[in-house]
Amino acid sequence: MSRWALALLALALAAAVGCEEAKPAPPATPEAALRARLGVPAGARQVVVFGQTAHLDIDWQKTFDDYYRTWVEQIFLDARRLLDEQPRAFYSVAEMAFLAHHLEVHPEEAAPLAAHAARGALRIVGGGVTSPDTMLPETELLVRDLLLGARFAEETLGVRPRAAWLPDSFGHSGTAPDVLAAAGYDSVAFARIDGAQTFYEELDHPGAPPKPGSTLEQLMAAGSADFVWRGPGGGEVLAHYFASGLYCTGDTIDYDEPMQYPGGHLGPFRGDDPAYTDGMIAGYVAALRPTARTPYLFVPVGCDFQSPKPRLIEYLDGHNRRQYPKTGVWAVAAPFEDYAALVGAHRAELPVIDAELSPYFMGFYGSRPGLKRRIREAARPFWAAETFAVALGGDGAARAAALRPALARLAWSDHHDFIPGTSTDAVVAAEQLPLLDAAEAAGQAALAEVAAALAARVPPAAGAVGRVVALNPAGVARSDVVEVVVAFAPPVADLALQARAAGAPVPLEVVAATPAAGGYGAATLRLAVRDLGPWSWRAIDLVPGAAAPTAAPTVALLDAAGQPASGAAVVRVVLQNERVRAQWDLAAAGAGFALTSLSIDGAEALAADSFFTTDYADDGGLWRLGQEMPGCALTPLAPAAETETVTADESGALTARVVFATPTTRRTARLDAGDAGLTLTHAGRAAVGTTRTVWFAFAADPGAPLRTSAPGGFLERTPERVYTPTYWPAVAWAAAGPFAVLLRQATGVRFGAEGTLELLALRDARQERCDLLGGTGSDPEAHEVEWRLVRAETAALAEAAAQTWNRPVVVVAAPPPAAAPDLPAEQSLAALEGDGVLTALKPADRGDGVILRALLLPGPATVRLGPALAGRHAVRVDAAERDLEDLGPAGDTLTLDAARYGAIATVRLR
């Protein structure tokens, strides 16, 4: 080829290259843009992200104030100083209760922290009031934990938390993705899942395989610590499991030690030795690489109450200079939120898991039952007060707003060492129980004010000697037998009274009376309130005359010949009303009475003897049952031979109760007029080193579903998984086939293949004998544990029954009427039709209007709005009350489905 031809060819090639260079560059992907912002070279084949935070227990071995003064205050001051001095540093805070308290103590810190948040250096992970347990709290209290924390973060710092942070929770509910997605979270990180070793197990047996049949075994087989976690209601979050070093991995980057202790270190500082820090980073990469399907690895930095590492970026920069050219591994400081965004770009490559990440530990399901019950009792008046505040308009909204600080404090009980009962005895006595008492008192005071204000706005009835108003704080229609004290002014001459509502008779029974000049000045009345609508009130007038007749429940104590008997001659007990018949038979001398039959609306609920106890010698402690640890055990004990006496403790026109008593225990059974379920209690204490359970055997068909309620929904269970025996967490109910046990407090339940349920009741297991988890505790107190047996063919019916049982009807004596009463004598605020339950109706915490929430189980459902809400403008919001979608005028109905609203549907009505 000639020189001219070569020149022409060169010109053509140059022109072609020039044309290529002139083309616009393709737009950078979000992943590429984030890598560039973090300074990651385009050629880095693997990126290890170090996320700096600290895990701050609200209370565990110290109280909140002790933790703050001892460590938390200085940690926050150190973190702010770090962000001041190092423009490339990041720090994340998880627990808003501590941050809010810090800004109260140090108001001067608010502006600099907000400035760091505005430039993205200060991040909020988690962002709840506390770092909660997700298996035991009631749905609504867990939602409020996330709502109140998010509101503080957004309004104080201008930062919205999108990544949940649950590093220390002892397992995770399968419904957690539904709850987190409903609250606006995109991702979540945690350390403790089923199949994983504890920190101490890992020290003793490093590299041991996951427990068979566990989620960890599934993740290891998939080769991924990152996965898409899907809830039964369809909610999804990108999940990350800390596959090495619990949540304390990066704390050893500059300390030569096997573990840390709160606020300090066990080993020597090695941060001045580049070979050491480089070697630690290489070790993290080697440990995490087998569980990474993407180019990204995550190393959490900040164990319990650890201060931020001021030289972290120095270590990472040094590693990158020395090691990146040889390994292609780039180390960078960034928050978990950024790690989740990087991994999220590869979402299609990740496994999808729709399972419960438990059991990890099981003993805590049943630890400190009295504490668990007190949490639920303390929450009750809040749900009632805010619901009926809606009927009061602006005045009600102001009352609800005044109640929020107390509710935020009550949300501390969600903490993964509070409701599990794993704090020390001193913390329980000095902080947790007083906190619950104070919260309940605040809720009761607010409820009394709201109820009185509502009752005063109902026009009085002519000729009545007294009036009461019944309020149903449940989002479910119900009937109930209730008691109320009524004062008469002037005194009534006699107690021949009848109760009437809208002209119809209400069954009434006088329980006690207080004499006064001219008759009686007050009386305790028992009323049978029938068909009270969801979220409704009803005025009931007391007028002279004979009480309306009713079919009274009956108790029969019978001998071997079926004749009435008493004392030691009783071998059979029958308690019944028009819908329920319960029968107990003496099992054997010294063995007590077993519930042998329970008929509800003509259907036999039991397949075998029920309502008996088993005591176990338990080598476990507050966290674990004995059989969870190699070398330890949970061993059934022979039942103690005790004579059980039977008495008809209470019998009247509206209620009947039987008491079965031994020298150490007291069991009761109660049945009210019109009841469709049987209420049972067991009072006693566990001996040191033992766990007591209660058994029920339901008449369930082979293969019938075994279910428990969970925060944000319910879960199908298997008889065994990971451990033998297996106990599952249950919040408000547990069911086998069409029958359910309703719970006064969360607990653990073991299922048999044929409809048998064994419920954890009492524990005094003080210290794991084959392991050490870092804390001890005792529970020598006597507790009364309560259950209710009902027929509930679906999860929605079980949830509805549990809600009505745990939100009792509130009855108040009506005060003098307002100057211009303007409310009807009876009204329901809203009702739901379909497979779901209304869970909240309240003035909005954020923004204006009224918030309505429903749990879809699984839905769809139609909400019928009462006159106070019909015609309002509807907006779909998330559980943290952020507006998502304008729905337009609501009319008098709303249709809710999981595809659009998720499992937890929340709507704002303006």
Side-chain angles (χ1 to χ4, degrees):
M1 184 179 292
S2 69
R3 286 185 300 167
W4 293 107
L6 288 172
L8 289 172
L9 178 58
L11 288 172
L13 289 173
V17 171
C19 290
E20 286 294 320
E21 290 178 350
K23 291 181 179 178
T29 64
E31 178 186 12
L34 180 52
R35 286 172 64 113
R37 178 164 61 79
L38 295 175
V40 178
R45 63 179 181 83
Q46 200 150 46
V47 180
V48 54
V49 176
F50 286 75
Q52 185 143 247
T53 182
H55 175 59
L56 308 175
D57 287 306
I58 293 297
D59 48 19
W60 173 34
Q61 295 185 329
K62 294 178 181 288
T63 66
F64 179 92
D65 287 338
D66 284 345
Y67 272 138
Y68 179 77
R69 288 190 297 265
T70 304
W71 293 309
V72 175
E73 179 179 32
Q74 193 59 49
I75 288 170
F76 284 163
L77 293 173
D78 289 346
R80 191 265 303 153
R81 189 176 301 112
L82 173 73
L83 300 180
D84 287 346
E85 297 171 353
Q86 298 186 31
R88 291 168 50 212
F90 294 90
Y91 192 76
S92 298
V93 180
E95 298 86 2
M96 293 301 95
F98 271 127
L99 189 57
H101 181 69
H102 181 66
L103 295 184
E104 290 175 0
V105 175
H106 290 283
E108 74 280 2
E109 291 289 303
L113 289 178
H116 289 309
R119 68 181 182 86
L122 177 65
R123 301 290 186 93
I124 303 300
V125 294
V129 172
T130 179
S131 52
D133 170 76
T134 64
M135 294 182 287
L136 302 178
E138 288 186 289
T139 299
E140 201 55 40
L141 193 55
L142 180 57
V143 165
R144 302 305 174 87
D145 188 326
L146 303 177
L147 160 65
L148 295 171
R151 182 184 179 192
F152 173 83
E154 293 172 39
E155 294 181 357
T156 306
L157 300 176
V159 176
R160 172 180 172 174
R162 293 184 178 273
W165 189 255
L166 304 170
D168 198 25
S169 299
F170 316 128
H172 309 274
S173 173
T175 56
D178 291 325
V179 175
L180 295 176
Y185 290 93
D186 304 317
S187 57
V188 61
F190 38 66
R192 302 179 188 271
I193 66 172
D194 60 296
Q197 290 187 300
T198 69
F199 191 78
Y200 292 96
E201 287 173 338
E202 182 64 33
L203 290 177
D204 289 341
H205 305 286
K211 295 177 176 64
S214 66
T215 303
L216 182 57
E217 184 181 57
Q218 184 180 354
L219 288 177
M220 294 302 99
S224 184
D226 300 299
F227 58 98
V228 176
W229 193 17
R230 181 180 297 157
E236 289 187 352
V237 288
L238 189 151
H240 175 75
Y241 165 64
F242 301 139
S244 176
L246 205 60
Y247 53 88
C248 310
T249 310
D251 287 44
T252 58
I253 193 172
D254 55 359
Y255 279 88
D256 189 359
E257 58 190 2
M259 60 173 290
Q260 307 76 39
Y261 64 87
H265 295 272
L266 294 171
F269 177 72
R270 299 289 301 277
D272 292 326
D273 181 357
Y276 181 84
T277 57
D278 285 359
M280 294 307 299
I281 294 171
Y284 302 151
V285 171
L288 296 173
R289 186 174 279 152
T291 58
R293 280 197 179 184
T294 76
Y296 305 107
L297 309 172
F298 185 74
V299 175
V301 183
C303 208
D304 291 13
F305 301 101
Q306 293 292 326
S307 287
K309 292 184 179 295
R311 296 172 62 182
L312 178 62
I313 290 178
E314 174 191 333
Y315 306 148
L316 305 186
D317 285 349
H319 166 274
N320 293 339
R321 287 194 306 271
R322 294 182 292 267
Q323 305 300 327
Y324 173 67
K326 296 181 288 186
T327 65
V329 176
W330 188 265
V332 63
F336 173 74
E337 201 172 39
D338 286 354
Y339 171 81
L342 292 168
V343 172
H346 303 263
R347 192 182 185 100
E349 303 167 31
L350 303 179
V352 177
I353 290 180
D354 57 0
E356 170 125 338
L357 309 185
S358 75
Y360 181 73
F361 299 149
M362 300 185 296
F364 73 90
Y365 303 156
S367 293
R368 303 195 194 276
L371 183 74
K372 290 176 169 63
R373 178 168 180 153
R374 288 293 297 124
I375 292 170
R376 190 162 295 176
E377 290 169 343
R380 281 180 192 162
F382 288 88
W383 313 143
E386 64 184 20
T387 294
F388 294 103
V390 169
L392 302 178
D395 176 58
R399 293 176 188 272
L403 197 54
R404 284 172 196 144
L407 184 55
R409 191 71 182 267
L410 179 59
W412 288 17
S413 66
D414 292 336
H415 177 233
H416 60 270
D417 278 309
F418 196 142
I419 191 168
T422 48
S423 295
T424 65
D425 293 349
V427 169
V428 172
E431 179 162 86
Q432 292 178 350
L433 289 174
L435 182 155
L436 297 175
D437 291 342
E440 184 178 21
Q444 291 287 11
L447 174 57
E449 292 178 1
V450 168
L454 187 150
R457 290 173 57 178
V458 177
V465 298
R467 163 176 270 195
V468 299
V469 176
L471 301 95
N472 177 11
V476 180
R478 48 111 63 85
S479 299
D480 213 345
V481 172
V482 296
E483 289 188 6
V484 62
V485 177
V486 179
F488 303 110
V492 296
D494 61 56
L495 295 175
L497 297 174
Q498 62 177 248
R500 304 188 71 81
V506 176
L508 176 148
E509 180 180 10
V510 177
V511 178
T514 303
Y520 297 91
T524 300
L525 306 179
R526 187 175 289 151
L527 302 164
V529 182
R530 307 291 192 209
D531 302 319
L532 191 58
W535 287 336
S536 70
W537 67 86
R538 177 183 296 167
I540 302 173
D541 296 303
L542 306 174
V543 297
T550 188
T554 62
V555 178
L557 306 183
L558 306 174
D559 62 15
Q563 298 301 307
S566 62
V570 177
V571 298
R572 173 168 290 178
V573 178
V574 177
L575 177 62
Q576 64 182 341
N577 66 7
E578 63 268 38
R579 300 186 65 180
V580 174
R581 182 185 183 278
Q583 177 176 310
W584 288 260
D585 289 290
L586 186 63
F593 287 80
L595 180 62
T596 55
S597 175
L598 174 63
S599 173
I600 302 175
D601 291 331
E604 177 57 53
L606 302 180
D609 291 359
S610 297
F611 193 35
F612 60 89
T613 63
T614 296
D615 282 352
Y616 292 88
D618 190 350
D619 291 331
L622 294 176
W623 285 270
R624 285 172 285 187
L625 298 171
Q627 87 278 16
E628 298 179 52
M629 296 171 286
C632 275
L634 183 73
T635 308
L637 297 171
E642 290 188 309
T643 300
E644 192 169 49
T645 61
V646 186
T647 55
D649 182 64
E650 184 175 6
S651 184
L654 297 179
T655 191
R657 189 170 72 156
V658 180
V659 176
F660 304 87
T662 74
T664 61
T665 64
R666 177 183 170 94
R667 297 186 300 154
T668 71
R670 172 174 169 162
L671 193 60
D672 291 336
D675 242 345
L678 179 66
T679 300
L680 304 169
T681 70
H682 175 92
R685 55 171 49 88
V688 175
T690 67
T691 288
R692 178 170 296 171
T693 65
V694 173
W695 292 76
F696 300 98
F698 285 136
D701 293 334
L706 309 175
R707 295 169 171 157
T708 67
S709 67
F714 70 97
L715 293 161
E716 305 278 351
R717 301 302 196 184
T718 57
E720 285 192 356
R721 184 168 187 246
V722 179
Y723 298 108
T724 302
T726 299
Y727 294 85
W728 295 103
V731 174
W733 54 268
F739 299 100
V741 181
L742 311 184
L743 309 172
R744 279 291 196 221
Q745 65 279 313
T747 191
V749 57
R750 172 191 181 187
F751 289 99
E754 300 301 326
T756 301
L757 280 73
E758 182 188 20
L759 298 161
L760 296 175
L762 303 170
R763 302 189 72 227
D764 191 7
R766 303 188 176 192
Q767 173 65 59
E768 287 89 353
R769 300 185 185 182
C770 297
D771 200 343
L772 175 66
L773 201 60
T776 61
S778 62
D779 193 5
E781 302 301 320
H783 298 290
E784 183 174 81
V785 186
E786 191 171 6
W787 307 273
R788 182 171 169 82
L789 309 186
V790 300
R791 183 176 179 89
E793 291 85 351
T794 67
L797 290 173
E799 187 71 27
Q803 190 191 100
T804 59
W805 193 49
N806 280 297
R807 298 188 187 183
V809 169
V810 177
V811 186
V812 295
D822 59 349
L823 293 177
E826 181 169 352
Q827 187 173 101
S828 175
L829 294 169
L832 181 143
E833 299 171 359
D835 287 331
V837 178
L838 295 168
T839 61
L841 182 70
K842 66 185 189 71
D845 274 71
R846 296 209 281 183
D848 58 352
V850 171
I851 296 296
L852 180 147
R853 186 158 27 252
L855 194 58
L856 302 181
L857 299 163
T862 298
V863 178
R864 300 199 177 279
L865 302 174
L869 301 175
R872 296 199 181 197
H873 196 93
V875 178
R876 182 171 67 90
V877 300
D878 65 15
E881 298 182 19
R882 307 178 188 97
D883 290 353
L884 301 177
E885 178 187 6
D886 191 299
L887 302 173
D892 59 2
T893 62
L894 287 168
T895 300
L896 307 176
D897 63 272
R900 185 175 194 176
Y901 291 87
I904 303 174
T906 309
V907 177
R908 185 191 307 276
L909 297 169
R910 288 193 170 101

